[in-house]
Amino acid sequence: MTFTLNEEQQLLKDSARDFFREQAPVSRLRKQRDEKQNGRDPDLWREIGALGFAGVIIPEEFGGAGLGYVALGAVLEQAGRTLVASPLHSSALVGASALLLAGTDAQKKEWLPKIASGEAIATLAIDESAHHAPGKSKLKVGGGKISGEKKYIADGHIADLFIVAGQEGALYLVKGDAKGLTRRELITVDSRGAADLTFDGVEAEAMNGSAEVLDQILDRARIGLAAEMVGQASEAFEITTEYLKTRKQFGQVIGGFQALQHRAAKLFTDLELTRSCVLAALDALDRGDKRVAEYASLAKARASETVHLATNEFVQMHGGIGMTDAHDSGLYMKRARVAEALYGGASFHRDRYASLLGF
């Protein structure tokens, strides 16, 4: 097992880093928020599609690059560093994974090329309450139509295609313009946007779903989100440590105070441990490891705790300026809190990890 990127993966990571820093810095998210765009940036998404980032895990026969999950994780990490507001996670990872794992041949041929090019945005509709509970669904199915509700669908306000989870892991494809589908757009604290969905006799295509397949899709979503969170935590840490080296108080650089050094050292070790957990999980996906579920819960739990600490320290170590909206630390904290909760928080995954190990 390797825990380092190969040359091709490193080149992709470097390309993503340069593109996001130049074309999608944090100031772009701030501008979107101030203009109340709620995560809508079609120009940026077209550029992301043109660069091939939306098709990293999609096989070449469907218009993608077929580079695997470690490669896409590297892109997601770089997107996390600048808080890129795009459906990269929900569509290029989760939507594409759902089709690859559960789509029929016809569904793959129709939708995967569109996802790879950025022409279509796909997302997963899973939860029906405020808490992540993938095994619980009241979705009603009959005559090729579905009825029910789904809550907090990431990028659900801009999606062209929904993969909807029903009872016992059943999965259905629903087009965004389907008759009987109602969206309630949500204004989210992280300025990314989401939607609640209501299905009233909506025409749906059955997929090759099962409880096991749904778990596999969700684990991919969790691992990819953990990669993004590593990017957020890394950027928060690096900006904070640079501030500690330059900010002076009481006649000396504040990085010289031992109490702050200890806090920075703890965050550094937590971050390196989390990065290893996430890379191991991504590598497990590419290798087809039977313990992917364990890797996924470990990575998501660790990433949730680390990004929580990193963004708290980002605000606190910057003192008064860190509490203002003018400083970027607040934007990182808000995104972190949303990412922590998506697809199960730290407590959910600690419990799941223990259960998987037989405790």
Side-chain angles (χ1 to χ4, degrees):
M1 182 187 298
T2 176
F3 292 95
T4 58
L5 302 181
N6 62 34
E7 184 178 358
E8 189 174 38
Q9 293 162 346
Q10 186 63 50
L11 285 172
L12 183 65
K13 180 178 180 177
D14 293 344
S15 175
R17 178 198 62 210
D18 295 343
F19 172 76
F20 291 134
R21 288 201 180 280
E22 293 172 9
Q23 301 301 323
V26 180
S27 58
R28 186 161 185 159
L29 171 67
R30 185 181 290 278
K31 184 173 184 291
Q32 289 178 25
R33 184 204 63 175
D34 293 345
E35 295 177 354
K36 296 179 170 57
Q37 293 299 309
N38 204 25
R40 290 180 175 85
D41 196 339
D43 291 338
L44 176 61
W45 185 238
R46 277 193 292 271
E47 292 179 62
I48 289 174
L51 285 169
F53 296 156
V56 172
I57 65 169
I58 295 174
E60 292 182 19
E61 64 181 297
F62 298 115
L67 295 178
Y69 288 94
V70 170
L72 182 55
V75 176
L76 287 166
E77 179 183 341
Q78 297 309 307
R81 279 183 171 271
T82 61
L83 303 181
V84 177
S86 81
L88 186 63
H89 178 269
S90 58
S91 188
L93 173 63
V94 187
S97 291
L99 281 160
L100 288 169
L101 290 168
T104 65
D105 289 342
Q107 290 165 350
K108 292 176 182 178
K109 289 177 183 177
E110 180 179 3
W111 290 105
L112 285 176
K114 295 178 182 179
I115 293 173
S117 66
E119 178 186 348
I121 296 170
T123 191
L124 178 67
I126 178 72
D127 290 316
E128 299 178 12
S129 70
H131 299 284
H132 183 56
K136 299 179 181 179
S137 176
K138 297 180 180 178
L139 198 72
K140 297 178 180 178
V141 183
K145 296 184 177 182
I146 62 174
S147 296
E149 296 183 342
K150 292 292 180 180
K151 301 293 185 182
Y152 202 92
I153 314 307
D155 296 309
H157 62 312
I158 57 173
D160 304 294
L161 181 70
F162 296 97
I163 293 94
V164 184
Q167 297 180 25
E168 299 180 357
L171 293 169
Y172 306 91
L173 279 188
V174 174
K175 294 180 180 179
D177 59 359
K179 183 179 179 180
L181 171 61
T182 303
R183 312 187 201 201
R184 184 171 74 88
E185 184 170 345
L186 304 175
I187 308 300
T188 59
V189 69
D190 62 348
S191 305
R192 300 283 286 266
D196 288 343
L197 307 179
T198 301
F199 304 92
D200 186 7
V202 176
E203 186 175 338
E205 292 182 35
M207 302 177 72
N208 298 318
S210 68
E212 182 180 356
V213 169
L214 179 58
D215 274 344
Q216 292 173 7
I217 295 168
L218 287 171
D219 282 337
R220 283 156 173 76
R222 293 156 178 159
I223 294 169
L225 191 58
E228 181 191 319
M229 293 159 77
V230 166
Q232 296 162 22
S234 298
E235 191 72 8
F237 172 76
E238 289 170 17
I239 294 173
T240 300
T241 51
E242 188 60 32
Y243 183 75
L244 295 179
K245 296 174 185 176
T246 56
R247 171 65 172 164
K248 290 185 176 181
Q249 203 161 13
F250 306 114
Q252 70 177 89
V253 174
I254 62 174
F257 297 125
Q258 195 173 55
L260 297 184
Q261 291 176 359
H262 288 172
R263 287 164 64 178
K266 180 184 187 308
L267 181 53
F268 174 79
T269 55
D270 284 357
L271 187 55
E272 289 305 299
L273 176 60
T274 302
R275 190 186 307 279
S276 295
C277 291
V278 173
L279 188 53
L282 290 163
D283 185 64
L285 286 174
D286 284 339
R287 291 185 295 104
D289 196 298
K290 294 181 180 180
R291 297 184 299 156
V292 163
E294 295 173 25
Y295 282 108
S297 281
L298 178 61
K300 185 59 167 64
R302 286 294 321 177
S304 295
E305 292 172 343
T306 299
V307 80
H308 190 99
L309 176 62
T311 52
N312 276 359
E313 296 289 52
F314 196 7
V315 172
Q316 292 177 16
M317 290 196 189
H318 277 81
I321 188 66
M323 297 295 293
T324 67
D325 182 67
H327 196 266
D328 287 342
S329 57
L331 297 176
Y332 279 83
M333 175 176 279
K334 290 171 183 176
R335 175 56 185 165
R337 298 303 174 269
V338 173
E340 288 171 49
L342 277 176
Y343 301 111
S347 59
F348 176 96
H349 284 291
R350 282 196 298 267
D351 182 70
R352 182 173 183 251
Y353 183 73
S355 297
L356 289 166
L357 293 181
F359 293 105

